[in-house]
Amino acid sequence: MADGPLAGCRVLELAGIGPGPFAGMTLADLGAEVVRVDRPGGSGLFPGFEHVDVLNRGKKSVLLDLKRPDAVRAVLDMAARADVLIEGYRPGVAERLGLGPDDCLARNPRLVYGRMTGWGQDGPLARLAGHDIGYIALTGALHAVGSAGGPPQIPLNLVGDFGGGGTYLVIGVLAALREAERTGRGQVVDAAIVDGTAHLLAGTHMMLATGTWQDERGVNLLDGGAPFYAVYETSDGRHMAVGALEPKFYAELLAVLGLDEDPAAQHDRSGWPRLRERLAAAFASRTQDEWAKAFSTSDACVAPVLSLREAADHPHIRARGTLVERDGVLQPAPAPRFSATPTALGPPPPVPGRHTADVLESWEVEDAEGLLSSGAAVQA
């Protein structure tokens, strides 16, 4: 039995890529039993590396040929016993398969049916293909990231796929589960990356409305425009991140750097070019390790910029177990943390079809033996 606050919750995930699997991983991290319905030929981006696909950790895998009516019936049987179903197809695809919300909710009125798309279920772009970079471009998020006078910079696919997408699908699923528990009524959760990304920009829109944010990149308080919220190169070609926003933290920054600037002039924009030069020269005078040690006990809000692998060795990350290594794969531990229902890292990612026979039996799918013997279901 899984640990965590979602122990006992059954989730059916129709295999996809990116934000949908991330949502399924998060639900599994929280203790849910997540069964991923894989299809022949696979649906991942890295065939042959399924065993290191962290987004599938903690899940079980059944392999079903959804071109076969009996395999679709098997999924409907499972949906009848699930609390949640999540899918990431283009609008209309699940319906054509016979696995749309109407089909599944007819079998299970309490079901939370989560839909993960980039553009949403409706609107002019709903049926077009897309990727993270396009979704965040349309919301204004991509425009806001980058240096003044330079092109937009791609913030990995964190803002769209995983921030505005998978995370918001989880939020929607958890809220809908609460409603289903309260009323016995399931519903459809339409999680669109454009909607979630726009929602993440709420604070930026607030500053835009107050006039404290210019609709340009690299000239604002939190986008590198302010010299006391920026990244500086050290003498060894590494970097330090500076976030000394509050006056007392800014004063501490100046003290550790040994600069004789007037702390009261922090927000005088006319002096920012000169201040940036002085900060850059100071950081360039020592190595990253030297500055990291100098700021290690300071409230100046300064931190070394570490690589993904270096982060695992930082004393704070290591002490909290924020990153862990299992079977040679570095990965984040489950988050957030719970006092009464602690979570734990689930089993490693399964190869597609690893649990087909067991799941068909435990989920009481009709004629499981016939499905396996006909090839509609495959046990790896």
Side-chain angles (χ1 to χ4, degrees), residues 267-290:
H267 292 282
D268 178 5
R269 285 179 174 260
S270 67
W272 280 7
R274 176 180 171 277
L275 175 61
R276 189 181 299 275
E277 291 178 359
R278 294 203 69 191
L279 290 172
F283 278 109
S285 68
R286 299 167 71 177
T287 67
Q288 184 192 66
D289 283 347
E290 290 173 326

Side-chain angles (χ1 to χ4, degrees), residues 56-341:
N56 286 327
R57 73 183 185 196
K59 302 177 185 178
K60 299 174 181 177
S61 171
V62 299
L63 193 60
L64 293 170
D65 184 356
L66 297 184
K67 295 179 181 178
R68 302 271 295 268
D70 45 351
V72 172
R73 174 186 53 74
V75 175
L76 290 173
D77 282 351
M78 296 174 70
R81 296 166 177 81
D83 299 293
V84 179
L85 182 150
I86 58 178
E87 59 93 357
Y89 301 140
R90 290 201 210 185
V93 172
E95 285 82 353
R96 290 197 295 274
L97 287 171
L99 296 173
D102 291 344
D103 304 298
C104 293
L105 287 165
R107 295 290 302 273
N108 181 359
R110 295 176 57 93
L111 182 70
V112 172
Y113 192 104
R115 318 199 79 169
M116 182 75 261
T117 62
W119 305 116
Q121 294 299 313
D122 53 35
L125 302 180
R127 296 183 180 275
L128 295 183
H131 275 298
D132 175 285
I133 191 170
Y135 309 138
I136 68 173
L138 211 64
T139 61
L142 183 58
H143 171 81
V145 180
S147 302
Q153 297 296 309
I154 303 170
L156 306 183
N157 62 336
L158 298 176
V159 175
D161 281 350
F162 298 118
T167 300
Y168 275 82
L169 177 57
V170 172
I171 293 170
V173 162
L174 296 179
L177 275 174
R178 173 71 178 104
E179 170 70 3
E181 291 171 356
R182 190 175 66 86
T183 67
R185 183 179 66 242
Q187 60 184 301
V188 178
V189 178
D190 176 7
I193 295 174
V194 287
D195 297 345
T197 301
H199 196 262
L200 288 172
L201 288 166
T204 308
H205 278 285
M206 177 272 293
M207 290 186 285
L208 187 65
T210 62
T212 55
W213 186 276
Q214 299 180 52
D215 203 7
E216 302 175 37
R217 59 184 159 272
V219 297
N220 298 289
L221 192 63
L222 301 176
D223 62 2
F228 45 83
Y229 197 90
V231 175
Y232 292 96
E233 187 172 355
T234 55
S235 63
D236 55 348
R238 307 299 300 278
H239 294 87
M240 297 294 290
V242 177
L245 288 174
E246 292 80 359
K248 63 180 179 180
F249 300 152
Y250 176 62
E252 177 74 6
L253 170 69
L254 297 177
V256 175
L257 291 176
L259 298 179
D260 57 355
E261 295 288 328
D262 179 9
Q266 177 181 5
H267 292 282
D268 178 5
R269 285 179 174 260
S270 67
W272 280 7
R274 176 180 171 277
L275 175 61
R276 189 181 299 275
E277 291 178 359
R278 294 203 69 191
L279 290 172
F283 278 109
S285 68
R286 299 167 71 177
T287 67
Q288 184 192 66
D289 283 347
E290 290 173 326
W291 282 124
K293 183 177 180 180
F295 283 102
S296 62
T297 59
S298 165
D299 272 346
C301 301
V302 176
V305 178
L306 303 179
S307 74
L308 293 171
R309 296 193 182 279
E310 288 173 334
D313 290 326
H314 188 275
H316 185 79
I317 301 298
R318 189 168 59 244
R320 286 185 59 82
T322 300
L323 290 171
V324 296
E325 185 172 318
R326 185 175 64 185
D327 300 329
V329 180
L330 183 66
Q331 56 195 285
R337 304 180 185 200
F338 300 85
S339 61
T341 53

